[in-house]
Amino acid sequence: MTIKSNAASVRFDAVTKAFGDVVAVDQISLLIEPGKLVTLLGPSGCGKTTTLRLIAGLEMATGGQIFIGDRDVTKLPATDRDVAMVFQSYALFPHMTVGENVAYGLKVSGVKKPDAQARSQDALNLVGLADLGDRMPSELSGGQQQRVAVARALVLEPQVLLFDEPLSNLDAKLRRRVREEIREIQQNLGLTVIYVTHDQEEALAVSDDIVVMNNAVIAQIGTPRELYEVPSDAFVADFIGEANILDCEIESVAGDMAQVRLGDIVMQLPALNLAPGPAQLAIRPRRVDLHAEAVAETLPGTLLKATYVGTHMEYRIETAHGEIFAISGDVDDLHHANSEIRVGFRDPGPVLIPAA
Amino acid sequence: MNKFVALWLAVGLIGFFVLPWYTTDDAFVSFTWLRDGWPLDADYAPAIIQIFAHGKIWLAPLILFFAAVVPVLRGNPSDRLFAATLTFAGAGGLVFLLLQGFTIGIAGWEYASLEALFGPVERQFGMGAGAVLVAAAFLFLLTQGFAARGYVGGDLFVAGSIGLIIALITAFVFFPVSRILVSAFQDNQGVYAFSLFAEKISDSKIWGLRCLSENVSCGVAWNSLMLAVSVGIGSTLLGLAFALVTTRARLKMGKAFRVLTVLPIITPPFVIGLAMILLFGRAGVVTQFMASTFDIPPTRWIYGFTGIWLAQMLAFTPIAFLVLIGVVEGVSPSMEEAAQTLRADAWTTFSTVSFPLMRPGLANAFLLGFIESMADFGNPFVLGGNYGVLSTEIFFAIVGAQNDQGGAAVLAIVLLAFTLTAFYVQRRWVGKKSYVTVTGKGDAGLHAMLPKRLTWLIFAIVIPWTFMMLVIYCMVMFGGFVETWGRDHSFTMRHYADAFSVTTGEHGLIWSGAAWNSFWTTISISAIAAPLTAGLGLLTAYLLVRQRFAGREAFEFGTMLSFAIPGTVIGISYILAFNIPPLELTGTGIILIICFMFRNMPVGLRAGVAAMSQLDKNLDEASLTLGANSFTTVRNVILPLLRPAIAAALVFSFVRAITSVSAVIFLVSADYHMATAYIIGRVENGDYGLAIAYSSVLILVMLAAVSLVQLVISRRKLGRRTAVAGAEQAGAVAT
Ligand SMILES: Nc1ncnc2c1ncn2[C@@H]1O[C@H](COP(=O)(O)OP(=O)(O)OP(=O)(O)O)[C@@H](O)[C@H]1O
Ligand SMILES: [Mg+2]
């Protein structure tokens, strides 16, 4: 394997991008370490693509600074940045063969033809398309085109490799396979990869770190596990997996633990730098327990709906603190709709987040 | 060392120290100056020698602006000083060059006050190769300065292209048109006379309305307006009829109509008028037939409004058709199907759904027809008789006995006001709307059939019209083989022999026919102009579609403007502007080429914009992120994918250069005589046979050119070659 990695870090320093009145990226600061795969995740229109294009040099920041490695690239156009990008539409040049597509970057940077051919063949081998160099892009399947786009980006051994929703044109099965392939290549070569998606499952599956964006700012940065288990606010909690958000009261804080009251329940939870006063709890549906008879430290409620979905049961419960959604793996011992019920929480379960 | 700064500095220095500073010869590329006394002769000397040997001391400061650039040759583009220096040197050099050009002319100082201030100076002529190179060098140094400041993302190619196009449009569209405005306010001695202007512009020859009450002709402005409105309405309705027949009547003939519509595009506009004279003139076939069979005395009815209207309808309906066929096809069938499932019958569907959706397109077609009719020169010239319109009156004001430049300028302003208003309305009001229904999405379903009544009506119009077109083209093709039209209908090759005979002499072939000279000039000038026009149009399209930069809107408006300026106006503005230094171009072939470039650029521009909007922008971005710069991207990715648009732009520019009359008629000279001007001259002398023979040869040449270019360029190489190759491989493995 002769494709090497020149992985470099990417740093954003209070970067802003405005299109006229629309601020697509607002004062973002961010450090992406070399050799990591980081996903940008967030709802439609939150500025993911814009962030990616800022790194590529396809958009110019209206404020702040961008570094790749140690170099300030803020004013550098795309041509002069050592960054490659895989587009959502793949953007394969339809008038060139697969081989010509992959060799294009080498050709325009003045690599000799035999060299360029050998290196693009290496890249095609790497993505498992060794024999398809003479085909036209229109003669490939969607998954193959996607891999050609990856090979075309890899062959330049870029410092940073960018993917903008690379899998959204593929069907569900292929999506799983290709994302594993991308992850494997990234880990084998030690590439710095920044990956945009709005599919949270995809993000959780492939990333070292996830950057959750909302309304042009970063909502939270962390490993998949951190984001899932310790979301920093209601938006993240709800966006990554589902969560019940309930209002609660922090009664006191001692060290890094807080005493939290929710109705009759009093819990000791990590304080996460919150001060006493109103706050909220985020609780994953699988962390909710239902009891038919009275148990200490539970909330009373009415079971509104019970749905059987094969692998598990889904319940909706009305309580004095709002509606709670619960998932139970126990499909044999059923609770029935309209019955009175007690709702308890597992440990670890509820996470404190700031009041809305 | 900064490569680009060095390059343009070198170009500038060559212009200053080596090439002749003033215009030398009017050949495109001529090196006779090398033998004729260069570098010392006053006519051919470069700037440096002009300064020291011929007293043109005012050229000396130019060298300072080049010197200013030298310190930043090794500079870093992100340096503030670098940008500032280049901007200063480029802008300063350009401004100084223009100042000296406009203040010192063929008689020394242009303004007496300056002469009083600085004392008398030598006279000087128009800019030559040297001066042009120096100007280009300053321009591109300036754009590099802008790029270094971060304009258009610091892209040198894009900044340079924008600068180039702005400079060209200013020099060859805005400057000449502004000269018209100025000279409208001057009397024929060049003295400003506002009262004269007021008197001229309110002249009853322009605005007179006595025709309403008495039997005299109206003012030419009203004539033009009436003609343009009725041609606009007529060609729109007729174009709509053709478009409906082609798309909605499920006819096999649909394709044939499309071919028929190409014909008028490759026909010089006045040829239709000519054919109409052969049919309906006093000696025309139809007139003679009517006279001998029904005893209807021949009249001159064809000369005047009716004749011009008919000829323009024939000439411009295809344009309306081309606009409307897109609109008619763009009305989504699913909307019509929806109406039908809601129990609307065919007529209700058409009148409540299909027609309202087409309305913006109809407005568009009307305005195009209006502008074309206003601008048309050939047909009113041939068929006008006493019915004067603006475009012909402008010509007679300049060429006729009066030689009244100011009068022509006033008429030109009126004409320009009409077309610009129409252009403005078209852009503002319909330009955007007309695209709404065209989604570019494949839409299954079938267009609703036309209601029966409407179908019959349309057939009743379309069939006779098609028949008439056919007759007219037969006339054009065979008219050249007849001895004297209307009197002696015996077969002859005489006209062709007169025009295109070739004899052999002792030095090989002799092109002895009378038409050869103008024929070769036309072909070569059009062939040079076509790629330049297409290139300019496509480059502009690239900037408009793919780049965002400050001032883009104004840029777009400026580039489209030349479309709204009638040829006659361009013609006289070029005479006014380029007769004197600093740009002395009249009488050369270059002025014809430039005229074609800016008259026909919108065609390439539109083809380019349409094609480029369909190209995924990610393709260019992919190329940029792979390390190609914008120029390489244009060359390797965009151009290859634009082949059909390039072909279209090339063909259209070539054909329009050959067929254009209105501007050309002012700009031809003894050395550069163009076919259309020559033919118009023959028509004026009543030599219809030769005129028709020449026209049909032109049509055939253009037809050949169109087919050839289609064949060579437009084959796209995105094909699927594996269907066969793959099967072969599979076969080889199996055996
Ligand atoms: N060229 C532009 N001009 C004006 N506004 C823009 C432009 N590009 C993006 N925006 C705006 O910036 C915001 C962020 O856009 P962006 O494309 O980054 O979203 P995204 O997170 O990638 O969304 P999606 O998941 O739908 O792709 C949006 O509100 C969008 O409308
Ligand atoms: Mg996006």
Side-chain angles (χ1 to χ4, degrees), chain A residues 44-45 47-50 88 164-165 196 198:
Chain A
S44 187
K48 306 179 296 287
T49 299
T50 308
Q88 182 172 358
D164 189 2
E165 308 205 22
V196 165
H198 53 231

Side-chain angles (χ1 to χ4, degrees), chain B residues 408-420:
Chain B
V410 169
L411 288 168
I413 286 180
V414 176
L415 180 52
L416 197 58
F418 278 133
T419 54
L420 284 185

Side-chain angles (χ1 to χ4, degrees), chain A residues 149-191:
Chain A
V150 173
R152 186 175 69 178
L154 278 180
V155 79
L156 290 175
E157 301 171 357
Q159 290 178 301
V160 181
L161 188 54
L162 309 173
F163 289 86
D164 189 2
E165 308 205 22
L167 308 183
S168 56
N169 287 344
L170 306 180
D171 70 46
K173 267 206 178 128
L174 196 55
R175 211 142 63 197
R176 185 179 289 266
R177 210 183 74 209
V178 175
R179 89 185 177 207
E180 277 159 15
E181 283 171 7
I182 291 177
R183 176 66 161 159
E184 203 175 293
I185 293 173
Q186 182 262 333
Q187 287 182 325
N188 288 344
L189 299 180
L191 301 167

Side-chain angles (χ1 to χ4, degrees), chain A residues 88-150:
Chain A
Q88 182 172 358
S89 59
Y90 311 144
L92 298 180
F93 304 130
H95 58 301
M96 301 180 192
T97 63
V98 166
E100 286 164 354
N101 261 286
V102 176
Y104 181 83
L106 298 169
K107 187 182 121 193
V108 298
S109 41
V111 175
K112 293 246 159 44
K113 205 164 177 199
D115 273 359
Q117 262 169 1
R119 281 169 64 183
S120 55
Q121 190 58 48
D122 285 338
L124 283 174
N125 292 346
L126 188 70
V127 297
L129 294 178
D131 301 330
L132 300 188
D134 292 330
R135 296 250 192 114
M136 299 305 277
S138 61
E139 298 162 338
L140 299 181
S141 73
Q144 288 168 332
Q145 292 182 24
Q146 208 277 342
R147 281 185 278 169
V148 174
V150 173

